[in-house]
Amino acid sequence: VWCQAQGGTRSYGPVFEEQPSHTLFPEGSAEEKVTLGCRARANPPATYRWKMNGTELKLEPDSRYRLVAGDLVISNPVKAKDSGSYQCVATNPRGTVVSREASLRFGFLQEFSAEERDPVKITEGWGVMFTCNPPPHYPGLSYRWLLNEFPNFIPADGRRFISQTTGNLYIAKTEASDLGNYSCFATSHMDFITKSVFSKFSRLSLAAEDARQFPPSIKARFPADTYALAGQLVTLECFAFGNPVPRIKWRKLDGPQSSKWIGSEPLLQIQHAGFEDEGTYECEAENAKGRDTHQGRIIIHAQPDWLDVISDTEADIGSDLRWSCVASGKPRPTVRWLRDGQPLTSQNRIEVSGGELRFSKLVLEDSGMYQCVAENKHGTVYASAELTVQALAPDFRLNPVKRLIPAARSGKVIIPCQPRAAPKATVLWTKGTELLVNSSRVTITADGTLILQNISKSDEGKYTCFAENFMGKANSTGILSVRDATKITLAPSSADINVGENITLQCHASHDPTMDLTFTWSLDDFPIDFDRSEGHYRRASVKEAIGDLSISKAQLRHSGRYTCTAQTVVDSASESATLTVRGPPGPPGGVVVRDIGDTSVQLSWSRGFDNHSPIARYLVEARTLLSSQWKQMRTNPVNIEGNAETAQVVNLIPWMDYEFRVLASNILGIGEPSLPSSKIRTKEAAPTVAPSGLGGGGGAPNELIITWTPTLRDYQNGDGFGYMVSFRRKGSQEWLRAQVPHAESLHFVYRNESIAPYTPFEVKIKAYNRKGEGPESLTAIVYSAEEEPKAAPYRVTAKSVLSSEMDVSWEPVEQGEVTGVLLGYEIRYWKDGDKEEAADRVRTAGLVTSAHVTGLNPNTDYHVSVRAYNRAGTGPPSPSTNVTTTRPPPKRPPGNISWSFSGSTVSIKWDPVVAKADESAVTGYKMLYRQDSHSAPTLYLASKSHIDIPVPEDFTHALVQIRVTGPGGDGTPAEVHILRNSGT
């Protein structure tokens, strides 16, 4: 046994790495075999056997059953012979384990009955159900329905529903489009094979009749009790006939709706159902004629699942052992035990009690493989462990007494004696030839450990541990050497500092010079990790006997008891000091809101840590649903003293959602805020602010339009918010009033045949909610709808400026001839031969009496008229006037450009441009001159085809553009680069 533990290969019993799984084999499959997997790790390697329905299979050479490694291969499987439950058995000399049970099932889907299906006749508008009556099958099916032919599948659209439980088709309300032949289409999904069959057709015909409406009647109902396994998908079906087509709603009657609900209408699905989803569920079908309901329970069960299992155990011969297996599940699982694959019951020294197995006075024959099995009607789980009962003579080779044992003078030394032995060995200690017994300085513990205290030089020598049990005896010796004790010579001192300050805690020590000395520091008994201190901690000295600790930029978390430990391999010495780091207060706790009014609440909180500096005062902050920003609030009292734990918050907005938090401050600053309070809403109150932006005007004849800016949520103060508008003709005594609901409303239109155009009204507005009315606004003057101007401008003149532009001017209409505010004039212009309706339009703003019109065609006759306009529209046109645009300028640019230099002048010449018959005359030339790309261009005018331009003495080059000009505008430019050393 010792050789195996030291260097040999350890032997162990079988441990499953692969176990058989439930298998579905489709009947008629092209596959010729089924393989059930089984593999166990074991040393020596395991051998395998298989059981079917509890009986061991005979694996003969010509059998259809073959063993491949640990796998069971079944050739040409047959349902009648091979359907059943299989279990793998793995064995080696250490013991036997059995696998979980796995079923082999055969999947099949037969054809629908060949009998013709009866036709269905029903009144149009009524509901109808087609039964599927699927053929024998395993496992379950999915269903669809065909209308008339393949693949015209009927969609599930709210009016039609296909139950995946029964396969039946439901139509809530028949329509003319439903006429036709119906067939149920059933599909089986068997692992790698999909098979579908469909039924004979059933014809639906409808009797025409005035479709009357009728209340819902639920036809597809989920069971009164639906059982489901935890973690699985639960589906409830509910569908109703009705006209109009009913809407389906779901609710849980004895608890809140789960976030795991998916889908809607005819299906309620709960993903990964848990025990919290148990309860009573109601489906409600509703339409305009009534409602119908159906209720049922969901009951959640669970397969067994281990909470506590056994593990491999080595135990001494003659000792006691208790093993426990605990499993959850619903119904509650039963637990049974196996030893080497066989049932284990109470006998002699062994007691089996449910999930507990107890051994008294273990013997070698108790060694083996043990399994606990938990099972309920939904499944079975196995847990395995190996028990090894040991009988060993004492042996120190694995763990001898330490050869050299250093100890500090006046200190204490602990010398373990831990031989490997089974059963446990009895232990004796000697010093030299002297037998040691318990005394004031010598203690031998129950496990054989030797403890010497108050050590002196005389304790040096050889110490031997003798161990013995019924298997044999052994001993091991070590030599004790006494060294000088370690002492703290300069201890750290307690100190107070502020957050962010630095401090050094001193620690010096003396020690035996033959041993190395190390220093460690701890804070409140937790060792300080210098590498993970974010630079706050560092060792202040590298000298051997100095272990000072430097703390940089101290934080509140650095407060506490610091312990310096000077340590050698034989002893240690420690001294402690307290560091107090003062800082802003910690967060107050437990903010509670009570006495909620419309503009005030009462807050209370619990005192937080003052962080070693007294709390001077508290601040209260709040945020609303309109803003995520926290804002300081006004309180009563204004200044909240540091010993207070309650205050009133005032000047709140009525009917507003608030969260509050409290902050404490002291002389070192404002601390962290408390957690937010629960969200509350202040009580409602009548509005306190009048709506703003009161104005209006415009609209259709005989209308008064009043507008305002909608009141923000901050100022609504309550539900049922709206506006009360008051108005009267200026000069009259009686006010008319109108109520406008909804906070988002922003205008009111008053219509009355008696309202003359552009009549001034006095207008005012106030807000209201269900708590009352607010203050009225100041009075504003708003005019009723205007009337189009009655007069036309006169003395309209139009003059062609260029070939594509003209100037138009006119005499204005008198203000008295405009009922309203004159906004400007509209110029309409159209080509000779076109209709005025096709005219282009240009509008001016204000009281100007001229306009410049562009975008005209050259050498074209135009008609021009002018109208006045206001918000009501345009007035009558002026008498039209005529204008002819000039001919366009010549298209040909100047050519043959040349230049010559004479001193500080450059002379530029070009060939004259002669206008064609359809072009305007040439009256001169324009030249743009730019000496470089960074300078502004200079414009020169020339009446002839040459020009002299002054240039600087250092002139090298320039860019020149030349074009003709005349009554038709400017022509196409010619562009050249002028160089001093070139003339063309």
Side-chain angles (χ1 to χ4, degrees):
V1 175
W2 182 85
C3 287
Q4 287 186 348
Q6 285 296 301
T9 302
R10 186 180 69 86
S11 63
Y12 54 89
V15 178
F16 281 115
E17 293 183 329
E18 180 185 0
Q19 299 188 59
S21 301
H22 297 305
T23 301
L24 178 67
F25 185 81
E27 290 185 359
S29 169
E31 289 287 321
E32 297 178 349
K33 64 182 179 180
V34 169
T35 300
L36 299 175
C38 181
R39 185 174 71 254
R41 183 178 74 253
N43 187 28
T47 59
Y48 299 91
R49 295 175 288 125
W50 282 83
K51 293 182 178 181
M52 175 185 174
N53 298 330
T55 302
E56 186 168 337
L57 288 172
K58 295 182 179 180
L59 304 178
E60 299 173 349
D62 57 348
S63 168
R64 291 186 302 109
Y65 301 107
R66 288 186 297 118
L67 200 60
V68 179
D71 298 347
L72 176 65
V73 179
I74 306 174
S75 301
N76 303 314
V78 179
K79 178 180 178 181
K81 296 181 179 179
D82 301 321
S83 180
S85 176
Y86 290 80
Q87 203 168 17
C88 174
V89 183
T91 301
N92 79 350
R94 305 281 294 190
T96 299
V97 288
V98 295
S99 73
R100 68 189 175 208
E101 296 183 9
S103 65
L104 173 59
R105 303 287 296 270
F106 286 76
F108 66 96
L109 172 59
Q110 297 182 9
E111 297 292 332
F112 274 96
S113 169
E115 293 184 9
E116 295 294 331
R117 298 204 168 197
D118 293 335
V120 177
K121 185 173 183 180
I122 196 168
T123 302
E124 183 177 343
W126 288 88
V128 67
M129 179 190 76
F130 290 92
T131 57
C132 179
N133 292 327
H137 60 274
Y138 181 84
L141 304 176
S142 62
Y143 299 95
R144 289 185 287 176
W145 279 77
L146 296 169
L147 177 58
N148 294 327
E149 60 183 0
F150 182 88
N152 185 23
F153 290 107
I154 296 172
D157 54 8
R159 188 175 66 87
R160 294 170 289 192
F161 171 66
I162 299 170
S163 169
Q164 295 303 310
T165 302
T166 62
N168 296 341
L169 167 65
Y170 298 83
I171 303 176
K173 169 200 165 193
T174 52
E175 299 177 352
S177 60
D178 295 324
L179 283 171
N181 298 305
Y182 289 79
S183 172
C184 180
F185 188 88
T187 301
S188 175
H189 301 278
M190 294 176 281
D191 291 345
F192 48 88
I193 289 182
T194 298
K195 180 180 179 182
S196 298
V197 294
F198 55 88
S199 69
K200 290 284 188 178
F201 283 92
S202 177
R203 179 161 186 80
L204 174 65
S205 56
L206 300 176
E209 188 177 303
D210 289 339
R212 66 178 182 84
Q213 295 186 339
F214 60 94
S217 175
I218 295 176
K219 299 298 183 183
R221 297 168 175 258
F222 54 95
D225 289 329
T226 298
Y227 291 88
L229 285 179
Q232 294 186 348
L233 175 69
V234 180
T235 300
L236 303 182
E237 296 182 338
C238 181
F239 191 76
F241 293 171
N243 185 8
V245 175
R247 293 293 306 273
I248 304 294
K249 296 179 183 177
W250 294 89
R251 65 176 61 90
K252 187 178 182 185
L253 298 182
D254 47 8
Q257 174 175 328
S258 169
S259 61
K260 296 181 290 186
W261 289 17
I262 58 174
S264 59
E265 297 289 328
L267 295 181
L268 169 64
Q269 292 183 306
I270 304 175
Q271 287 185 312
H272 310 298
F275 291 106
E276 70 278 5
D277 297 308
E278 280 195 329
T280 302
Y281 290 77
E282 181 181 80
C283 154
E284 178 188 77
E286 184 177 20
N287 66 8
K289 301 299 291 181
R291 59 190 289 269
D292 190 14
T293 61
H294 173 68
Q295 296 176 3
R297 292 189 306 156
I298 290 179
I299 301 167
I300 303 297
H301 280 187
Q303 296 174 328
D305 189 23
W306 289 122
L307 301 175
D308 186 22
V309 295
I310 54 178
S311 59
D312 291 346
T313 300
E314 293 181 347
D316 292 347
I317 189 169
S319 64
D320 296 339
L321 176 65
R322 174 184 171 273
W323 264 347
S324 175
C325 282
V326 181
S328 64
K330 184 179 178 183
R332 182 185 298 278
T334 60
V335 178
R336 55 189 174 89
W337 292 83
L338 305 175
R339 179 167 66 185
D340 290 329
Q342 299 300 317
L344 183 63
T345 58
S346 296
Q347 52 185 287
N348 300 328
R349 299 170 299 97
I350 300 174
E351 180 184 353
V352 177
S353 176
E356 287 203 351
L357 173 61
R358 295 185 183 91
F359 296 87
S360 300
K361 297 181 180 179
L362 286 165
V363 297
L364 293 175
E365 290 74 17
D366 292 327
S367 296
M369 298 300 300
Y370 289 80
Q371 292 176 281
C372 51
V373 185
E375 53 194 345
N376 65 13
K377 64 181 181 180
H378 301 297
T380 305
V381 289
Y382 287 73
S384 303
E386 182 175 1
L387 172 60
T388 303
V389 180
Q390 298 176 326
L392 302 171
D395 190 336
F396 281 100
R397 283 175 289 185
L398 275 179
N399 199 12
V401 174
K402 191 174 179 182
R403 189 61 55 89
L404 179 61
I405 308 165
R409 195 187 307 271
S410 301
K412 178 173 76 171
V413 67
I414 299 174
I415 311 174
C417 178
Q418 297 174 331
R420 185 174 186 189
K424 182 181 174 182
T426 58
V427 172
L428 297 175
W429 279 94
T430 64
K431 179 190 176 191
T433 59
E434 177 190 356
L435 178 65
L436 298 177
V437 294
N438 286 332
S439 66
S440 59
R441 292 198 315 114
V442 178
T443 302
I444 301 174
T445 65
D447 66 356
T449 299
L450 173 62
I451 303 174
L452 302 177
Q453 304 190 65
N454 195 18
I455 290 174
S456 65
K457 196 70 173 176
S458 63
D459 291 318
E460 288 188 330
K462 290 185 178 181
Y463 288 80
T464 302
C465 174
F466 292 89
E468 182 178 1
N469 66 11
F470 77 89
M471 295 289 292
K473 61 181 66 177
N475 63 76
S476 181
T477 300
I479 298 173
L480 179 66
S481 174
V482 178
R483 311 290 175 90
D484 290 339
T486 303
K487 297 179 179 178
I488 300 292
T489 57
L490 179 60
S493 301
S494 297
D496 286 10
I497 60 173
N498 293 335
V499 166
E501 293 180 348
N502 304 330
I503 191 173
T504 297
L505 300 179
Q506 293 181 307
C507 186
H508 299 184
S510 63
H511 67 294
D512 190 301
T514 64
M515 291 181 290
D516 292 332
L517 178 69
T518 59
F519 288 91
T520 59
W521 284 86
S522 64
L523 172 58
D524 294 331
D525 298 326
F526 287 96
I528 293 174
D529 186 340
F530 289 85
D531 294 332
R532 301 180 63 180
S533 68
E534 300 175 346
H536 290 293
Y537 293 122
R538 65 181 179 85
R539 300 184 189 277
S541 175
V542 294
K543 294 181 180 179
E544 182 182 5
I546 299 176
D548 296 350
L549 172 67
S550 287
I551 305 174
S552 302
K553 299 179 181 176
Q555 303 299 306
L556 291 171
R557 66 179 182 274
H558 297 141
S559 291
R561 185 171 61 88
Y562 284 81
T563 300
C564 170
T565 301
Q567 190 168 14
T568 66
V569 294
V570 299
D571 71 339
S572 64
S574 299
E575 291 288 347
S576 299
T578 300
L579 176 65
T580 301
V581 182
R582 295 187 299 270
V591 178
V592 176
V593 188
R594 53 186 177 82
D595 299 342
I596 300 171
D598 53 0
T599 60
S600 67
V601 299
Q602 193 75 25
L603 288 190
S604 61
W605 59 89
S606 60
R607 183 182 180 87
F609 293 112
D610 64 9
N611 290 330
H612 314 295
S613 180
I615 296 173
R617 59 191 292 256
Y618 287 97
L619 304 174
V620 175
E621 292 183 337
R623 65 181 176 188
T624 68
L625 58 81
L626 305 176
S627 172
S628 61
Q629 298 295 319
W630 290 94
K631 296 181 180 179
Q632 186 173 343
M633 306 303 292
R634 293 189 63 183
T635 59
N636 181 23
V638 176
N639 293 316
I640 307 171
E641 298 296 331
N643 58 356
E645 293 187 4
T646 182
Q648 186 183 43
V649 187
V650 297
N651 287 11
L652 299 177
I653 300 171
W655 196 56
M656 182 61 67
D657 292 333
Y658 280 99
E659 288 178 294
F660 298 93
R661 68 182 188 184
V662 180
L663 304 89
S665 66
N666 59 20
I667 59 172
L668 297 174
I670 299 175
E672 296 180 15
S674 68
L675 292 174
S677 69
S678 57
K679 192 176 292 184
I680 62 98
R681 176 172 287 185
T682 50
K683 292 183 177 179
E684 296 177 287
T688 56
V689 177
S692 61
L694 186 61
N702 309 119
E703 283 186 353
L704 171 67
I705 296 180
I706 302 170
T707 62
W708 58 89
T709 302
T711 298
L712 297 176
R713 173 69 174 80
D714 309 46
Y715 303 106
Q716 293 174 18
N717 288 9
D719 203 3
F721 188 86
Y723 304 91
M724 190 71 70
V725 181
S726 301
F727 55 95
R728 66 183 180 188
R729 283 186 177 85
K730 190 174 182 180
S732 66
Q733 298 298 315
E734 184 179 355
W735 289 92
L736 299 176
R737 287 179 173 81
Q739 183 172 311
V740 183
H742 309 307
E744 61 272 15
S745 301
L746 45 73
H747 73 279
F748 169 72
V749 180
Y750 173 63
R751 296 179 180 87
N752 194 303
E753 296 294 333
S754 67
I755 299 178
Y758 207 59
T759 300
F761 279 80
E762 292 179 302
V763 176
K764 55 187 178 180
I765 188 172
K766 61 183 174 182
Y768 70 88
N769 60 26
R770 63 184 183 186
K771 283 293 184 179
E773 298 178 354
E776 280 191 319
S777 68
L778 297 175
T779 301
I781 301 297
V782 177
Y783 288 84
S784 62
E786 303 173 21
E787 192 174 45
E788 299 93 339
K790 299 297 186 185
Y794 57 100
R795 293 180 186 169
V796 177
T797 61
K799 178 181 179 183
S800 176
V801 181
L802 297 173
S803 60
S804 61
E805 301 176 10
M806 68 176 172
D807 286 332
V808 182
S809 61
W810 59 88
E811 293 294 331
V813 298
E814 298 295 333
Q815 184 61 42
E817 297 174 309
V818 179
T819 309
V821 178
L822 178 65
L823 298 179
Y825 294 90
E826 182 178 274
I827 298 94
R828 300 187 184 184
Y829 53 96
W830 63 98
K831 296 177 184 177
D832 188 35
D834 290 350
K835 294 183 178 180
E836 183 178 354
E837 289 77 9
D840 291 314
R841 307 178 185 201
V842 173
R843 278 193 168 187
T844 68
L847 303 178
V848 298
T849 57
S850 63
H852 184 71
V853 181
T854 61
L856 305 177
N857 292 336
N859 197 24
T860 303
D861 293 332
Y862 281 91
H863 301 283
V864 182
S865 70
V866 182
R867 304 167 184 245
Y869 74 91
N870 61 12
R871 282 195 287 186
T874 54
S878 68
S880 64
T881 187
N882 301 326
V883 62
T884 302
T885 53
T886 61
R887 287 172 291 178
K891 294 180 180 179
R892 183 168 60 87
N896 197 23
I897 301 172
S898 62
W899 59 88
S900 60
F901 289 89
S902 175
S904 60
T905 302
V906 60
S907 296
I908 304 174
K909 299 180 180 179
W910 57 88
D911 291 343
V913 177
V914 179
K916 296 180 180 179
D918 59 349
E919 295 176 335
S920 61
V922 177
T923 59
Y925 299 87
K926 288 182 178 179
M927 185 175 73
L928 277 178
Y929 173 87
R930 189 195 301 267
Q931 187 155 329
D932 56 59
S933 60
H934 301 294
S935 60
T938 304
L939 177 64
Y940 292 95
L941 299 177
S943 59
K944 304 295 185 181
S945 59
H946 62 85
I947 192 170
D948 294 335
I949 299 174
V951 296
E953 292 185 4
D954 59 350
F955 175 88
T956 57
H957 67 279
L959 177 65
V960 172
Q961 284 185 347
I962 305 172
R963 71 182 77 202
V964 300
T965 186
D970 297 340
T972 305
E975 185 174 289
V976 295
H977 285 275
I978 296 177
L979 305 175
R980 181 177 283 279
N981 58 0
S982 174
T984 58

